[in-house]
Amino acid sequence: MTWYFVRHATLAVLVLLSALVQVPAAHADEAFQTWVAALWPEAQELNVDRATFDQTFRGMEPDFSIPDLALPGRDKLGSAGQAEFTRAPSEYLDRAYLMRLAETGKPFTAKYKAALDKIERETGVDKYALLAIWGRETAYGSYKLPHDAVRVLTTLAYVGRRKELFRKELLAALQMLQAGVARSDMKSSWAGAVGLTQFMPTEYLPFARDMDGDGKKDIFRSVPDALGSSAAQLAGKGWVAGHPWGTEVRIPASSDCSLEGPLQTRLISEWAKLGFQPARGKPWPEQQAGLQAYLMSPAGAYGPSFLVFDNFKVIRLYNTSDLYAVFVGHLADRIAGGGDFEKPWGGTGAQKTKVIEEIQTRLKATGYDVDKIDGKIGSNSRMNIGKYQRANGLKVDCWPTDATLAHMRSAASR
């Protein structure tokens, strides 16, 4: 019995010491208070009063448990927790989950028909896309957001990897509080997005709408307000009424995924001449022949490919991820009555941040037009990987595989 207590007391001490090493609480105490004090003049310029400011930060400490922080011992790129940039595409676009969300979402088209018709009429934004965003973000309100938005935004602005971006979000959150939004309503994701459809605070002030006519812009409880606010945001970012988000396509044998990306945008009529056809052998609708589109292969050759239109880019502005935009677009199609992908998602495995970063670095060093080295696999990286693979006689799969990296290392050592 004595050994049991000694052993567990020792473990408790070790856990405590480990926590003290990993979490710079002592550093945060004085330095954090100084940092908060320096924020006041900027908040004051935005008409936040002193009482609101002081009440917001009273007793607050940073939350060092969230991702994307520039802290000792953290992964260099800080992508932990961002499913769009860590999970395998097949996992992110899980078929069973999409089917479940679609079936759950379909009844809402009838339940909120009046509000959805009004929103679509006033903004031009597709009602199914709005339902899909609601489904993806909070599972139609059933997912309870775990964080205090103000605290996580404060932490990200204080010791995050993107301090300036989150400083703006924090100041906007203070404006929301000043405008009367309850702090208790501002539950969020780890990155500070709030409400049923996950608004960043800088998007709330220009785009929040009262769609249910009760005099409040309530994106936290009112489904019409949340969907109407998201519609205003999408419309403000360029949504084109009546246009699709994208179409799954069959890539002809004469081509491959290295044609991906916005830099290789063509008319649908030109894609058709290259042999690209809609999945399941459907013909291209005549009204789409003059539309501009680009190829999107979010899993390289290991999954479906799409020709995507301007509305795909608008959805992507809601959450800057190709997988997110495909998820929302496809879920919208399913809620509207559409079916599954034609081509299954293959076994790419999880996205490996360090492998992607090294491949990006080596591509750039050998003259490829890599737009940024960030350890995240986007259309520019997939395109350049595909071009490298084709130029070196490798299998063209447009994916950051270990085999491609091994070839790059071998070539560099010659």
Side-chain angles (χ1 to χ4, degrees):
M1 183 66 71
T2 303
W3 165 244
Y4 176 89
F5 285 111
V6 169
R7 176 173 177 270
H8 283 268
T10 303
L11 287 173
V13 171
L14 290 173
V15 169
L16 177 60
L17 289 173
S18 175
L20 289 173
V21 170
Q22 293 176 17
V23 180
H27 166 75
D29 191 21
E30 183 178 346
F32 176 65
Q33 296 305 324
T34 300
W35 181 88
V36 168
L39 187 69
W40 162 243
E42 293 177 63
Q44 187 178 31
E45 287 182 8
L46 296 173
N47 298 315
V48 175
D49 65 35
R50 188 77 214 196
T52 298
F53 186 88
D54 289 344
Q55 177 62 32
T56 298
F57 292 106
R58 185 171 294 123
M60 184 189 291
E61 294 180 358
D63 180 357
F64 294 116
S65 71
I66 61 176
D68 210 28
L69 302 182
L71 294 175
R74 289 290 180 92
D75 175 71
K76 181 179 178 182
L77 293 168
S79 60
Q82 295 177 265
E84 294 86 357
F85 304 115
T86 55
R87 293 183 187 174
S90 58
E91 183 183 352
Y92 186 88
L93 287 146
D94 178 71
R95 181 175 181 271
Y97 183 50
L98 279 162
M99 289 175 63
R100 189 162 61 250
L101 281 180
E103 291 307 308
T104 304
K106 286 176 182 178
F108 291 124
T109 61
K111 182 176 182 178
Y112 295 105
K113 183 179 187 305
L116 288 167
D117 288 348
K118 179 184 178 184
I119 292 167
E120 202 168 42
R121 185 171 59 251
E122 292 183 1
T123 66
V125 177
D126 176 59
K127 61 187 175 186
Y128 299 111
L130 297 172
L131 289 170
I133 289 173
W134 182 25
R136 179 66 187 92
E137 295 294 356
T138 61
Y140 309 109
S142 65
Y143 174 66
K144 302 307 177 185
L145 297 159
H147 295 287
D148 170 10
V150 181
R151 186 185 182 203
V152 295
L153 289 172
T154 299
T155 305
L156 290 162
Y158 174 53
V159 289
R161 299 183 184 280
R162 296 171 288 172
K163 293 184 179 68
E164 289 307 310
L165 183 153
F166 285 106
R167 192 180 188 91
K168 292 176 183 177
E169 296 296 343
L170 173 59
L171 289 166
L174 290 171
Q175 289 180 288
M176 290 175 68
L177 294 172
Q178 184 67 44
V181 175
R183 175 76 173 269
S184 59
D185 282 341
M186 294 182 68
K187 297 298 182 182
S188 75
S189 65
W190 68 262
V194 298
L196 293 172
T197 53
Q198 289 288 267
F199 258 59
M200 293 304 292
T202 53
E203 303 287 338
Y204 176 85
L205 294 173
F207 295 120
R209 297 290 184 270
D210 171 21
M211 296 301 297
D212 60 14
D214 68 353
K216 303 175 184 177
K217 299 175 181 179
D218 184 1
I219 65 171
F220 309 97
R221 280 168 293 274
S222 169
V223 172
D225 285 7
L227 298 184
S229 299
S230 291
Q233 182 180 356
L234 294 173
K237 294 180 184 299
W239 186 273
V240 184
H243 282 199
W245 69 272
T247 300
E248 185 182 354
V249 293
R250 295 174 176 175
I251 298 179
S254 58
S255 188
D256 58 49
C257 50
S258 67
L259 283 182
E260 181 177 357
L263 296 177
Q264 303 186 86
T265 297
R266 294 172 171 82
L267 295 173
I268 286 296
S269 58
E270 295 173 337
W271 285 111
K273 289 178 182 177
L274 291 173
F276 285 74
Q277 291 297 320
R280 297 182 175 82
K282 297 178 181 178
W284 284 109
E286 289 185 14
Q287 65 270 28
Q288 292 183 10
L291 297 183
Q292 299 271 358
Y294 66 90
L295 183 65
M296 171 58 52
S297 300
Y302 301 106
S305 292
F306 310 87
L307 286 179
V308 297
F309 305 95
D310 286 341
N311 287 342
F312 177 87
K313 292 185 280 187
V314 175
I315 296 172
R316 200 175 178 279
L317 291 173
Y318 205 94
N319 182 326
T320 310
S321 158
D322 296 330
L323 287 177
Y324 176 88
V326 170
F327 189 108
V328 167
H330 180 70
L331 178 56
D333 290 346
R334 277 183 174 266
I335 295 172
D340 201 357
F341 299 108
E342 179 184 57
K343 184 174 181 179
W345 297 95
T348 61
Q351 300 175 61
K352 301 175 181 177
T353 300
K354 292 181 180 179
V355 170
I356 296 168
E357 182 191 22
E358 184 176 348
I359 287 176
Q360 289 170 332
T361 301
R362 290 181 179 277
L363 284 170
K364 192 173 185 67
T366 52
Y368 286 85
D369 187 19
V370 175
D371 56 356
K372 55 186 173 182
I373 297 170
D374 59 1
K376 299 175 182 178
I377 185 67
S379 60
N380 176 271
S381 293
R382 290 190 297 267
M383 174 191 69
N384 282 303
I385 290 169
K387 288 182 176 180
Y388 176 90
Q389 291 168 333
R390 192 171 59 203
N392 289 276
L394 305 176
K395 175 185 176 181
V396 180
D397 59 17
C398 305
W399 195 252
T401 60
D402 292 336
T404 299
L405 179 55
H407 186 278
M408 290 178 169
R409 288 172 174 171
S410 176
S413 66
R414 292 171 195 161

